[in-house]
Amino acid sequence: MTEMVHVSRHPLVQVKITRLRDASTGPKEFRELVADLARLLFIEASADLQVASVEVCTPLASTPGHTLAERIGLFPILRAGLGMANAILDFVPNAQVWHLGLYRDHDSLEPVEYYNKLPIRLTVDRAIVVDPMLATGGSASAVVEILKRHGVPRIQFLALIAAPEGVARMRREFPDVPLFLGALDNHLNASGYIVPGLGDAGDRQFGTGTP
Ligand code: PRP
Ligand code: URA
């Protein structure tokens, strides 16, 4: 893997991904894990954020400090990306959040857009696309394509679990977009699910799976 594909080695990521995979983990814990993992991956992806110098007055003295100098846009892919974006907002509450609704057609596995709340002009310096799963890469590719068309200067993609097929597609189509992953799994099955994976990330987050 190139340096544009970052698979986290953080022990907390590994422990939480394991809980996330467990079929007996219920929706409440699943949502909490998605939120924790999103924040952990965001910390890794945002290590190079630009800051500007400011002066701050403590109760004792004035001292140099820093303020964020980049406008961040979060782009959750609905539904499953919602929990990730909400969690990252805790760290960067002034980030803009733009919603894109895509679902994978069950037969073709192609993404189908059903909701687009992007503005005419995107005014962010860095776009962070968040989705728990990077499987075939169809959904990720469609979103990055839209952001590129809007002229977003810098795009990063965060996923909790990825398949080699999706990573290869993103590398091929968007070699300038770094991927920040919680885990890189083995393969996709015939239905396009990541193996071992965690099942359907949207259904597990929102309790909509068939029992
Ligand atoms: C899942 C997941 C990604 C997509 C990944 O969404 O959250 O968006 O599949 O698959 P791909 O890489 O092959 O495109 P899904 O279509 O199940 O919609 P949901 O979030 O509404 O459950
Ligand atoms: N979407 C999911 O939610 N899970 C997968 O394994 C693949 C796509």
Side-chain angles (χ1 to χ4, degrees), residues 36-103:
D36 287 350
L37 285 161
R39 290 191 201 98
L40 286 162
L41 289 185
F42 175 70
I43 286 174
E44 296 187 10
S46 62
D48 63 347
L49 271 176
Q50 299 296 311
V51 291
S53 299
V54 289
E55 204 62 21
V56 62
C57 293
T58 79
L60 303 178
S62 177
T63 186
H66 302 96
T67 186
L68 263 189
E70 276 189 56
R71 295 165 302 176
I72 299 173
L74 298 175
F75 294 78
I77 304 180
L78 309 187
R79 292 175 292 174
L82 279 173
M84 293 179 71
N86 285 340
I88 293 170
L89 270 180
D90 288 348
F91 281 164
V92 282
N94 293 328
Q96 302 177 28
V97 184
W98 304 107
H99 297 90
L100 276 165
L102 301 180
Y103 70 86

Coordinates of all heavy atoms in Angstrom, one line a residue, residues 36-103:
D36 N -16.7 6.9 18.0 CA -15.4 6.9 18.5 C -14.3 6.7 17.4 O -13.3 7.3 17.4 CB -15.2 5.7 19.6 CG -15.9 6.0 20.9 OD1 -16.4 7.2 21.1 OD2 -16.0 5.1 21.7
L37 N -14.6 5.7 16.5 CA -13.7 5.4 15.5 C -13.6 6.6 14.5 O -12.5 6.9 14.0 CB -14.2 4.2 14.7 CG -13.9 2.9 15.5 CD1 -14.8 1.7 15.0 CD2 -12.4 2.5 15.4
A38 N -14.7 7.3 14.2 CA -14.6 8.4 13.3 C -13.7 9.5 13.9 O -12.9 10.1 13.2 CB -16.0 9.0 13.1
R39 N -13.8 9.7 15.2 CA -13.0 10.8 15.8 C -11.5 10.3 15.8 O -10.6 11.1 15.5 CB -13.4 11.0 17.3 CG -14.7 11.7 17.4 CD -15.0 12.2 18.8 NE -16.4 12.4 19.0 CZ -17.2 11.5 19.6 NH1 -16.7 10.4 20.1 NH2 -18.5 11.8 19.8
L40 N -11.3 9.1 16.1 CA -9.9 8.6 16.0 C -9.3 8.7 14.6 O -8.1 9.2 14.5 CB -9.8 7.1 16.5 CG -10.0 6.9 18.0 CD1 -10.3 5.5 18.3 CD2 -8.7 7.3 18.8
L41 N -10.0 8.4 13.6 CA -9.5 8.5 12.2 C -9.4 9.9 11.8 O -8.4 10.3 11.1 CB -10.4 7.8 11.2 CG -10.5 6.2 11.3 CD1 -11.3 5.7 10.1 CD2 -9.1 5.6 11.2
F42 N -10.3 10.8 12.3 CA -10.2 12.2 12.0 C -8.9 12.8 12.6 O -8.3 13.6 11.9 CB -11.4 12.9 12.5 CG -11.4 14.4 12.3 CD1 -11.4 15.0 11.0 CD2 -11.2 15.3 13.4 CE1 -11.3 16.3 10.8 CE2 -11.1 16.7 13.2 CZ -11.1 17.2 11.9
I43 N -8.6 12.4 13.8 CA -7.3 12.9 14.4 C -6.2 12.6 13.5 O -5.3 13.4 13.2 CB -7.2 12.3 15.8 CG1 -8.2 13.0 16.7 CG2 -5.7 12.6 16.3 CD1 -8.2 12.5 18.1
E44 N -6.1 11.4 13.0 CA -5.0 11.0 12.1 C -5.1 11.8 10.8 O -4.0 12.2 10.3 CB -5.1 9.5 11.8 CG -4.8 8.7 13.1 CD -4.7 7.2 12.9 OE1 -4.6 6.7 11.7 OE2 -4.7 6.4 13.9
A45 N -6.2 12.0 10.2 CA -6.4 12.6 8.9 C -6.1 14.2 9.0 O -5.8 14.8 8.0 CB -7.7 12.4 8.3
S46 N -6.3 14.7 10.2 CA -6.2 16.2 10.4 C -4.9 16.6 11.0 O -4.8 17.8 11.3 CB -7.4 16.7 11.3 OG -7.3 16.1 12.5
A47 N -3.9 15.7 11.1 CA -2.7 16.1 11.7 C -1.9 17.2 11.0 O -1.1 17.9 11.6 CB -1.8 14.9 11.8
D48 N -2.3 17.4 9.7 CA -1.6 18.5 8.9 C -2.5 19.7 8.7 O -2.2 20.5 7.8 CB -1.1 18.0 7.6 CG -2.3 17.5 6.7 OD1 -3.4 17.4 7.2 OD2 -2.1 17.3 5.5
L49 N -3.5 19.9 9.5 CA -4.4 21.1 9.4 C -3.6 22.3 9.5 O -2.7 22.4 10.4 CB -5.5 21.0 10.5 CG -6.8 20.3 10.1 CD1 -7.7 20.3 11.4 CD2 -7.5 20.9 8.9
Q50 N -3.9 23.3 8.7 CA -3.2 24.6 8.8 C -3.8 25.4 9.9 O -5.0 25.5 10.1 CB -3.4 25.4 7.5 CG -2.9 24.7 6.2 CD -1.4 24.6 6.3 OE1 -0.7 25.6 6.6 NE2 -0.9 23.4 6.1
V51 N -2.9 26.1 10.7 CA -3.3 26.9 11.8 C -2.7 28.3 11.6 O -1.7 28.5 10.8 CB -2.9 26.4 13.2 CG1 -3.7 25.1 13.5 CG2 -1.4 26.1 13.2
A52 N -3.3 29.3 12.2 CA -2.7 30.7 12.1 C -2.4 31.1 13.6 O -2.9 30.5 14.5 CB -3.8 31.6 11.6
S53 N -1.4 32.0 13.7 CA -1.0 32.4 15.0 C -2.0 33.4 15.6 O -2.5 34.3 14.8 CB 0.4 33.1 14.9 OG 1.3 32.2 14.4
V54 N -2.3 33.3 16.8 CA -3.1 34.3 17.6 C -2.5 34.5 18.9 O -1.6 33.7 19.4 CB -4.6 33.8 17.8 CG1 -5.4 33.8 16.5 CG2 -4.6 32.4 18.5
E55 N -2.9 35.5 19.6 CA -2.5 35.8 20.9 C -3.6 35.5 21.8 O -4.8 35.8 21.5 CB -2.1 37.3 21.0 CG -1.2 37.8 22.0 CD 0.2 37.1 21.9 OE1 0.7 36.7 20.9 OE2 0.9 37.2 23.0
V56 N -3.3 34.8 22.9 CA -4.4 34.5 23.9 C -4.0 35.0 25.3 O -2.8 35.0 25.6 CB -4.7 33.0 23.9 CG1 -3.5 32.2 24.4 CG2 -5.9 32.6 24.8
C57 N -5.0 35.5 26.0 CA -4.8 36.0 27.4 C -5.2 34.9 28.4 O -6.4 34.6 28.5 CB -5.5 37.3 27.6 SG -4.9 38.6 26.6
T58 N -4.3 34.3 29.1 CA -4.6 33.4 30.2 C -5.0 34.3 31.4 O -4.8 35.5 31.3 CB -3.5 32.5 30.5 OG1 -2.5 33.2 31.3 CG2 -2.8 31.9 29.3
P59 N -5.4 33.8 32.5 CA -5.6 34.6 33.7 C -4.3 35.3 34.1 O -4.3 36.2 34.9 CB -6.1 33.7 34.7 CG -6.8 32.6 33.9 CD -6.0 32.4 32.7
L60 N -3.2 34.8 33.7 CA -1.9 35.3 34.2 C -1.1 36.1 33.2 O -0.3 36.9 33.6 CB -1.0 34.0 34.6 CG -1.6 33.1 35.6 CD1 -0.7 31.9 35.9 CD2 -1.9 33.9 36.9
A61 N -1.2 35.8 31.9 CA -0.3 36.5 30.9 C -0.9 36.3 29.5 O -1.8 35.5 29.2 CB 1.1 35.9 30.9
S62 N -0.4 37.1 28.6 CA -0.7 37.0 27.2 C 0.4 36.0 26.6 O 1.6 36.1 26.9 CB -0.6 38.4 26.5 OG -0.8 38.2 25.2
T63 N -0.1 35.1 25.7 CA 0.9 34.1 25.1 C 0.5 33.8 23.7 O -0.7 33.9 23.4 CB 0.9 32.9 26.0 OG1 1.9 32.0 25.5 CG2 -0.4 32.1 26.1
P64 N 1.4 33.4 22.9 CA 1.0 33.0 21.5 C 0.3 31.7 21.5 O 0.5 30.8 22.3 CB 2.4 32.8 20.8 CG 3.4 33.3 21.7 CD 2.9 33.3 23.1
G65 N -0.6 31.6 20.5 CA -1.4 30.4 20.4 C -1.8 30.2 18.9 O -1.2 30.8 18.0
H66 N -2.8 29.3 18.7 CA -3.1 28.9 17.3 C -4.6 28.9 17.1 O -5.4 28.6 18.1 CB -2.6 27.5 17.0 CG -1.1 27.4 17.1 ND1 -0.5 27.0 18.2 CD2 -0.1 27.8 16.3 CE1 0.8 27.0 18.1 NE2 1.1 27.5 16.9
T67 N -5.0 29.2 15.9 CA -6.5 29.1 15.6 C -6.5 28.4 14.2 O -5.6 28.5 13.4 CB -7.2 30.5 15.5 OG1 -8.5 30.3 15.3 CG2 -6.6 31.4 14.4
L68 N -7.6 27.7 13.9 CA -7.7 26.9 12.7 C -7.8 27.9 11.5 O -8.5 28.9 11.5 CB -9.0 26.1 12.7 CG -8.9 24.6 13.0 CD1 -10.2 23.9 12.8 CD2 -7.8 23.9 12.3
A69 N -7.0 27.6 10.5 CA -6.9 28.5 9.3 C -7.5 27.8 8.1 O -7.5 28.4 7.0 CB -5.5 28.9 9.0
E70 N -8.2 26.7 8.2 CA -8.8 26.0 7.1 C -10.3 25.9 7.3 O -10.7 25.7 8.4 CB -8.2 24.6 7.0 CG -6.9 24.5 6.2 CD -6.5 23.0 6.0 OE1 -7.3 22.3 5.3 OE2 -5.5 22.7 6.4
R71 N -11.0 26.0 6.2 CA -12.4 25.8 6.2 C -12.7 24.3 5.9 O -12.3 23.9 4.8 CB -13.1 26.7 5.2 CG -13.0 28.2 5.5 CD -13.4 29.0 4.4 NE -12.6 28.7 3.2 CZ -12.7 29.3 2.0 NH1 -13.7 30.1 1.8 NH2 -11.9 28.9 1.0
I72 N -13.3 23.6 6.8 CA -13.4 22.2 6.6 C -14.9 21.9 6.2 O -15.8 22.4 6.8 CB -13.1 21.4 8.0 CG1 -11.6 21.7 8.4 CG2 -13.3 19.9 7.8 CD1 -11.3 21.2 9.7
G73 N -15.0 21.0 5.3 CA -16.3 20.5 4.9 C -16.4 19.0 5.1 O -15.5 18.3 4.8
L74 N -17.5 18.6 5.8 CA -17.7 17.2 6.1 C -18.8 16.7 5.1 O -19.8 17.3 5.0 CB -18.1 16.9 7.5 CG -17.1 17.3 8.6 CD1 -17.8 17.1 10.0 CD2 -15.9 16.5 8.5
F75 N -18.5 15.6 4.5 CA -19.5 15.1 3.5 C -19.8 13.6 3.8 O -19.2 12.7 3.3 CB -18.8 15.1 2.1 CG -18.6 16.5 1.6 CD1 -17.5 17.2 2.1 CD2 -19.5 17.1 0.7 CE1 -17.3 18.6 1.7 CE2 -19.3 18.5 0.3 CZ -18.2 19.2 0.8
P76 N -20.8 13.5 4.7 CA -21.3 12.1 5.0 C -22.1 11.5 3.9 O -22.9 12.2 3.3 CB -22.2 12.3 6.2 CG -22.7 13.7 6.2 CD -21.6 14.5 5.4
I77 N -21.8 10.3 3.5 CA -22.6 9.6 2.5 C -23.7 8.9 3.3 O -23.5 8.1 4.1 CB -21.8 8.5 1.7 CG1 -20.6 9.2 1.0 CG2 -22.7 7.9 0.7 CD1 -19.7 8.2 0.3
L78 N -25.0 9.4 3.0 CA -26.1 8.8 3.7 C -26.4 7.4 3.2 O -26.1 7.1 2.1 CB -27.4 9.7 3.4 CG -27.2 11.2 3.6 CD1 -28.6 11.8 3.4 CD2 -26.7 11.5 4.9
R79 N -26.9 6.6 4.2 CA -27.2 6.9 5.6 C -26.0 6.8 6.5 O -25.8 7.5 7.5 CB -28.2 5.9 6.1 CG -29.5 5.8 5.7 CD -30.2 4.7 6.4 NE -29.7 3.4 5.9 CZ -30.1 2.2 6.4 NH1 -31.0 2.2 7.4 NH2 -29.7 1.1 6.0
A80 N -25.2 5.8 6.2 CA -24.3 5.2 7.2 C -23.2 6.2 7.6 O -22.6 6.1 8.7 CB -23.6 3.9 6.7
G81 N -22.9 7.2 6.7 CA -21.9 8.2 7.1 C -22.3 9.2 8.1 O -21.5 10.0 8.7
L82 N -23.6 9.3 8.4 CA -24.1 10.3 9.3 C -23.5 10.3 10.7 O -23.1 11.3 11.3 CB -25.7 10.2 9.5 CG -26.5 10.8 8.4 CD1 -28.0 10.4 8.6 CD2 -26.3 12.3 8.3
G83 N -23.4 9.1 11.3 CA -22.8 8.9 12.6 C -21.4 9.4 12.7 O -21.0 9.9 13.7
M84 N -20.7 9.2 11.6 CA -19.3 9.6 11.6 C -19.2 11.2 11.5 O -18.4 11.8 12.3 CB -18.6 9.0 10.4 CG -18.4 7.5 10.4 SD -17.6 6.9 9.0 CE -15.9 7.4 9.2
A85 N -20.0 11.8 10.7 CA -19.9 13.3 10.6 C -20.3 13.9 11.9 O -19.7 14.9 12.4 CB -20.8 13.7 9.5
N86 N -21.4 13.4 12.5 CA -21.8 14.0 13.8 C -20.7 14.0 14.8 O -20.5 14.9 15.6 CB -23.1 13.3 14.3 CG -24.3 13.7 13.5 OD1 -24.3 14.8 12.8 ND2 -25.4 12.9 13.5
A87 N -20.0 12.8 14.9 CA -19.0 12.7 15.9 C -17.8 13.6 15.6 O -17.3 14.2 16.5 CB -18.5 11.2 15.9
I88 N -17.4 13.8 14.3 CA -16.3 14.6 14.0 C -16.6 16.1 14.3 O -15.8 16.9 14.7 CB -15.9 14.4 12.5 CG1 -15.3 13.0 12.3 CG2 -14.9 15.5 12.1 CD1 -15.1 12.6 10.9
L89 N -17.9 16.4 14.2 CA -18.4 17.8 14.5 C -18.0 18.2 15.9 O -17.9 19.4 16.2 CB -19.9 18.0 14.3 CG -20.3 18.4 12.9 CD1 -21.8 18.5 12.9 CD2 -19.7 19.7 12.5
D90 N -17.9 17.3 16.8 CA -17.6 17.6 18.2 C -16.2 18.2 18.3 O -15.9 19.1 19.1 CB -17.5 16.3 19.1 CG -18.9 15.7 19.3 OD1 -19.9 16.4 19.1 OD2 -19.0 14.6 19.8
F91 N -15.3 17.8 17.3 CA -14.0 18.4 17.3 C -13.9 19.7 16.5 O -13.1 20.6 16.8 CB -13.0 17.4 16.7 CG -12.6 16.3 17.6 CD1 -12.0 15.2 17.1 CD2 -12.7 16.4 19.0 CE1 -11.5 14.1 18.0 CE2 -12.3 15.4 19.8 CZ -11.7 14.3 19.3
V92 N -14.7 19.8 15.4 CA -14.6 21.0 14.6 C -16.0 21.5 14.4 O -16.6 21.3 13.3 CB -13.9 20.6 13.2 CG1 -12.4 20.6 13.4 CG2 -14.4 19.3 12.6
P93 N -16.6 22.1 15.4 CA -18.0 22.5 15.4 C -18.3 23.5 14.3 O -19.5 23.6 13.9 CB -18.2 23.1 16.8 CG -16.9 23.3 17.4 CD -15.9 22.4 16.7
N94 N -17.3 24.2 13.7 CA -17.6 25.1 12.7 C -17.5 24.5 11.3 O -17.7 25.3 10.3 CB -16.7 26.4 12.8 CG -17.0 27.1 14.0 OD1 -18.1 27.2 14.5 ND2 -16.0 27.7 14.6
A95 N -17.3 23.3 11.2 CA -17.2 22.6 9.9 C -18.6 22.7 9.2 O -19.6 22.6 9.9 CB -16.7 21.2 10.0
Q96 N -18.5 22.8 7.9 CA -19.8 22.8 7.1 C -20.1 21.3 6.9 O -19.2 20.5 6.7 CB -19.6 23.5 5.8 CG -19.2 24.9 5.9 CD -19.0 25.6 4.5 OE1 -19.6 25.2 3.6 NE2 -18.1 26.6 4.5
V97 N -21.4 21.0 6.9 CA -21.8 19.6 6.6 C -22.7 19.6 5.4 O -23.7 20.2 5.5 CB -22.5 18.9 7.9 CG1 -22.8 17.5 7.6 CG2 -21.6 19.1 9.1
W98 N -22.3 18.9 4.4 CA -23.1 18.8 3.2 C -23.5 17.3 3.0 O -22.7 16.4 3.1 CB -22.3 19.2 2.0 CG -21.8 20.6 2.1 CD1 -20.5 21.0 2.4 CD2 -22.6 21.8 2.1 NE1 -20.5 22.4 2.4 CE2 -21.7 22.9 2.3 CE3 -23.9 22.1 1.9 CZ2 -22.1 24.2 2.3 CZ3 -24.4 23.4 1.9 CH2 -23.4 24.5 2.1
H99 N -24.8 17.1 2.8 CA -25.3 15.7 2.8 C -25.5 15.2 1.3 O -26.1 15.9 0.5 CB -26.7 15.7 3.5 CG -26.6 16.0 5.0 ND1 -26.7 17.3 5.5 CD2 -26.3 15.2 6.0 CE1 -26.5 17.3 6.8 NE2 -26.3 16.0 7.1
L100 N -25.1 14.0 1.1 CA -25.3 13.3 -0.1 C -25.9 12.0 0.1 O -25.3 11.2 0.9 CB -23.9 13.1 -0.8 CG -23.4 14.3 -1.6 CD1 -21.9 14.1 -2.0 CD2 -24.2 14.4 -2.9
G101 N -27.0 11.7 -0.4 CA -27.7 10.4 -0.2 C -27.4 9.5 -1.4 O -27.8 9.8 -2.6
L102 N -26.8 8.4 -1.1 CA -26.5 7.4 -2.2 C -26.9 6.0 -1.6 O -26.6 5.8 -0.4 CB -25.1 7.3 -2.6 CG -24.3 8.5 -3.1 CD1 -22.9 8.2 -3.4 CD2 -25.0 9.0 -4.4
Y103 N -27.5 5.2 -2.4 CA -27.6 3.8 -1.9 C -27.1 2.9 -3.1 O -27.1 3.3 -4.2 CB -29.0 3.4 -1.5 CG -30.0 3.3 -2.7 CD1 -30.2 2.2 -3.4 CD2 -30.8 4.4 -3.0 CE1 -31.0 2.1 -4.5 CE2 -31.7 4.4 -4.1 CZ -31.8 3.2 -4.8 OH -32.7 3.2 -5.9

